Amino acid sequence: MRSANLSRKTKETDITLSLNLDGGEVSINTGVGFFDHMLNSFAVHGGFGLEISVKGDLEVDDHHTVEDTGIVLGKAFKEALGDKSSIERFGSFYVPMDEALAFCSLDISGRPFMVFDAEFPQEKCGDYTSALTVEFMRAFAYNAGVTLHIKSEYGYNSHHIIEAIYKAVAHALKIAVKKNDTGVPLSTKGVL
């Protein structure tokens, strides 16, 4: 079973997370409404079972909650994938969201890297700070061992831009983690 259950407790956040790459229950509670909406969309569009509970220092702001969730989700992906044998490895996807269009291309390579090209006209979406989108994606990519390229092609509503990004990443991951019949990692090196 391609799944992982992780916990992480710091002075700023207390996170428990359960991930199943092949589907399952989706239950998200981070204390940040818009972030819950994005993570729910991420799980549904990726076809992942995902249960997350976060208690963060929201009296400060939403930064630690969002970034630390990305850390734990990235670690869970890495653990659930094991040696990464028998996966498609690469995934790319465009998502339109009304006036916004976002693109993601990724490689589950074991070599973390991120290129992020997006601007957010509105600073906040509800209680979520728009600029934390890059922090979440970077934390996820570096802890999952993923090369992640994200681009917002255009858009003028931050809600739509951010939602298109989360969904594009989810769909690209869905393609990349899909099982193939080889039984070996998709690499000329023989290992990922």
Side-chain angles (χ1 to χ4, degrees), residues 1-3 19-24 46-49 80 177-179:
M1 174 158 337
R2 302 188 310 161
S3 62
L19 170 70
N20 188 322
L21 297 178
D22 301 309
F48 309 128
V177 302
K178 186 178 176 186
K179 294 178 187 177

Side-chain angles (χ1 to χ4, degrees), residues 7 9 12 18 27 38 41 56 64 80 93 132 141 156 167 173 177 179 181-182 190:
S7 300
K9 187 171 185 173
E12 298 165 339
S18 176
S27 174
M38 293 303 97
S41 292
H64 301 136
F93 209 85
L132 292 180
Y156 55 78
K167 289 177 178 176
L173 280 168
V177 302
K179 294 178 187 177
D181 297 330
T182 65

Side-chain angles (χ1 to χ4, degrees), residues 83-86 89 109 111 182-192:
D83 68 0
K84 297 182 275 304
S85 62
S86 299
R89 180 179 166 182
S109 61
R111 295 183 312 276
T182 65
V184 296
L186 184 58
S187 170
T188 56
K189 298 176 183 70
V191 65
L192 287 172

Side-chain angles (χ1 to χ4, degrees), residues 62-122:
D62 53 334
H63 190 285
H64 301 136
T65 295
V66 173
E67 183 177 37
D68 289 9
T69 300
I71 291 169
V72 178
L73 184 59
K75 288 181 178 184
F77 260 86
K78 186 173 186 174
E79 183 178 317
L81 284 167
D83 68 0
K84 297 182 275 304
S85 62
S86 299
I87 63 166
E88 291 297 330
R89 180 179 166 182
F90 298 96
S92 297
F93 209 85
Y94 278 96
V95 169
M97 185 80 188
D98 295 347
E99 88 297 341
L101 181 67
F103 174 71
C104 174
S105 188
L106 58 85
D107 176 10
I108 302 175
S109 61
R111 295 183 312 276
F113 196 82
M114 188 177 79
V115 175
F116 189 94
D117 183 4
E119 294 182 13
F120 307 109
Q122 294 81 37

Side-chain angles (χ1 to χ4, degrees), residues 103-105 112-118 134 137-138 141-142 146-152:
F103 174 71
C104 174
S105 188
F113 196 82
M114 188 177 79
V115 175
F116 189 94
D117 183 4
V134 66
M137 295 299 174
R138 182 184 301 114
Y142 278 77
V146 172
T147 299
L148 182 61
H149 291 251
I150 296 169
K151 181 169 179 56
S152 169

